[in-house]
Amino acid sequence: MLSELSMKMAGCGTRRFKARVKLGNNETAYEDAISFRDAGGAKKVFEEMIDEIRAPGKIAKSMSAQAWHLDRVIPFPLGFSVRTAGKTGQGVFANVQYKRGDLIIAERPIYRVVNNLDDIITLSDIGIDQTNAMDTDALMTGGRQRVYALCDIASGEEICVTYLGGRNVYGSSRAERQKRLKNYNFLCACKVCTLPSDASITSDKRRIEISNIWDNIPHYPPSLTSLSLRSTVRAIHLLREEGYAADVDDFTIDVATGCSQHGDWASVEYWQAMTYAARVAEFGEDSYRANEVRDNIAKLGASPHANSFPRQDFTHIRV
């Protein structure tokens, strides 16, 4: 999908800075000013930002004068910059080469919304919150929202994020995705949503098949573990054909259980490793999502259902 990350860096950088100053978070506001400068922000605006947090009474007493030097080297220099992306406006482009699983950015939220709009700190445009907020409960680690590269990104290539996730992307047709995006007043022009008619129809068929597989896999009984595995392999190949680099774990997480019930621990290890690797690449090694499946082999081994069905070997079924 198009670059929500682009909009955050280009359009929301100064808004975040002002919000943090208003909240009295001047140390993090200073980091925003440095990031704004290093991303190519206007020198005059940067100097005004620095002047604002240097105003009497706003400098944190714990920070030394040296820490406020304009040439201070930030500990995590940006691997990307903001520049014009043609008709789509501003874009975020890689300054370095990223590999799948590389961390691109980690940031603390300005504030968190709990349950209802009464808890939101008022901004100049509340629509910014409603259309750009991210779920932090399960995905934040160390109090920071992190963005990882889902695939290799060449230096100079635009970095994009999706407005939709999971089955709303891999399991829906182009028309269904565009309908959901109307909530954002957003028309997607990614390379999948702008495929020629014939190719778009083929893409829709693949995604509908992927969705059907996802619906069926959890309901296969142990007697059909072989079919469950073959369906999983099919789904992963379809995801790859679509160029979709996320959510493999949606399919691999269940099939290890079936293998454990038939005592095929080599296959349990294979599918568990694939699930864990996917979550590490997408969310980080110390993330909630990775920790959730880290010890799955031991858990399956201790389950009363382990080895409860006739021994079968599924090692011939692999991606």
Side-chain angles (χ1 to χ4, degrees):
M1 297 293 176
L2 291 180
S3 307
E4 181 183 354
L5 183 57
S6 303
M7 293 164 42
K8 283 188 173 182
M9 291 303 302
C12 298
T14 55
R15 288 195 294 266
R16 180 177 58 201
F17 167 84
K18 290 182 180 299
R20 283 175 168 166
V21 170
K22 186 175 180 180
L23 292 170
N25 298 334
N26 295 297
E27 295 181 25
T28 52
Y30 176 76
E31 297 293 347
D32 284 337
I34 294 296
S35 297
F36 174 82
R37 181 197 66 180
D38 292 348
K43 181 180 179 181
K44 182 179 179 180
V45 176
F46 168 68
E47 291 174 347
E48 290 173 350
M49 294 165 78
I50 294 298
D51 287 341
E52 185 172 354
I53 52 180
R54 277 180 163 169
K58 285 194 174 181
I59 298 179
K61 293 181 179 179
S62 62
M63 299 190 71
S64 66
Q66 183 179 3
W68 288 90
H69 193 277
L70 297 188
D71 294 327
R72 177 187 177 206
V73 178
I74 59 176
F76 302 104
L78 296 176
F80 54 86
S81 57
V82 179
R83 60 178 186 267
T84 301
K87 294 181 179 180
T88 58
Q90 294 289 93
V92 171
F93 294 84
N95 294 332
V96 297
Q97 181 180 1
Y98 289 103
K99 295 290 187 182
R100 174 172 167 81
D102 285 349
L103 178 65
I104 296 177
I105 190 171
E107 288 189 323
R108 296 183 184 277
I110 305 171
Y111 62 90
R112 297 183 69 182
V113 178
V114 181
N115 294 329
N116 59 64
L117 294 178
D118 293 338
D119 298 309
I120 296 176
I121 297 173
T122 302
L123 298 179
S124 59
D125 183 0
I126 201 64
I128 295 171
D129 175 89
Q130 294 173 337
T131 58
N132 290 278
M134 292 185 176
D135 177 16
T136 61
D137 289 337
L139 302 184
M140 284 190 68
T141 303
R144 295 179 182 271
Q145 183 76 28
R146 304 190 297 193
V147 177
Y148 290 87
L150 291 179
C151 59
D152 293 351
I153 303 172
S155 179
E157 185 177 350
E158 187 174 7
I159 302 172
C160 300
V161 299
T162 177
Y163 275 76
L164 303 175
R167 297 186 67 207
N168 287 335
V169 182
Y170 68 69
S172 59
S173 66
R174 178 188 181 281
E176 291 169 333
R177 297 193 301 275
Q178 297 293 353
K179 182 178 180 179
R180 290 188 176 96
L181 288 170
K182 283 185 177 180
N183 294 328
Y184 304 96
N185 294 319
F186 181 76
L187 178 65
C188 181
C190 75
K191 62 183 181 181
V192 177
C193 287
T194 54
L195 286 170
S197 179
D198 289 348
S200 183
I201 291 172
T202 300
S203 172
D204 286 351
K205 288 180 179 178
R206 275 196 292 258
R207 290 178 184 243
I208 291 170
E209 183 179 352
I210 292 169
S211 181
N212 290 336
I213 291 173
W214 190 91
D215 285 335
N216 290 327
I217 283 179
H219 303 294
Y220 285 122
S223 60
L224 294 179
T225 294
S226 177
L227 180 57
S228 175
L229 290 169
R230 294 185 189 280
S231 296
T232 296
V233 171
R234 172 65 177 166
I236 293 172
H237 283 298
L238 289 169
L239 288 170
R240 291 178 178 178
E241 288 176 24
E242 279 293 286
Y244 191 83
D247 300 318
V248 165
D249 56 306
D250 280 7
F251 300 89
T252 59
I253 191 169
D254 287 325
V255 292
T257 301
C259 295
S260 71
Q261 291 172 337
H262 291 280
D264 183 359
W265 294 99
S267 291
V268 171
E269 185 174 352
Y270 173 83
W271 294 107
Q272 157 63 14
M274 188 172 291
T275 301
Y276 182 68
R279 294 198 172 183
V280 168
E282 294 179 40
F283 308 111
E285 187 173 9
D286 58 343
S287 67
Y288 160 81
R289 297 292 297 275
N291 287 333
E292 186 180 46
V293 299
R294 188 189 307 275
D295 300 320
N296 265 8
I297 294 180
K299 293 175 184 176
L300 290 173
S303 168
H305 301 293
N307 304 303
S308 58
F309 288 87
R311 174 76 168 85
Q312 281 188 261
D313 185 345
F314 304 109
T315 56
H316 58 291
I317 306 176
R318 298 287 187 262
V319 177

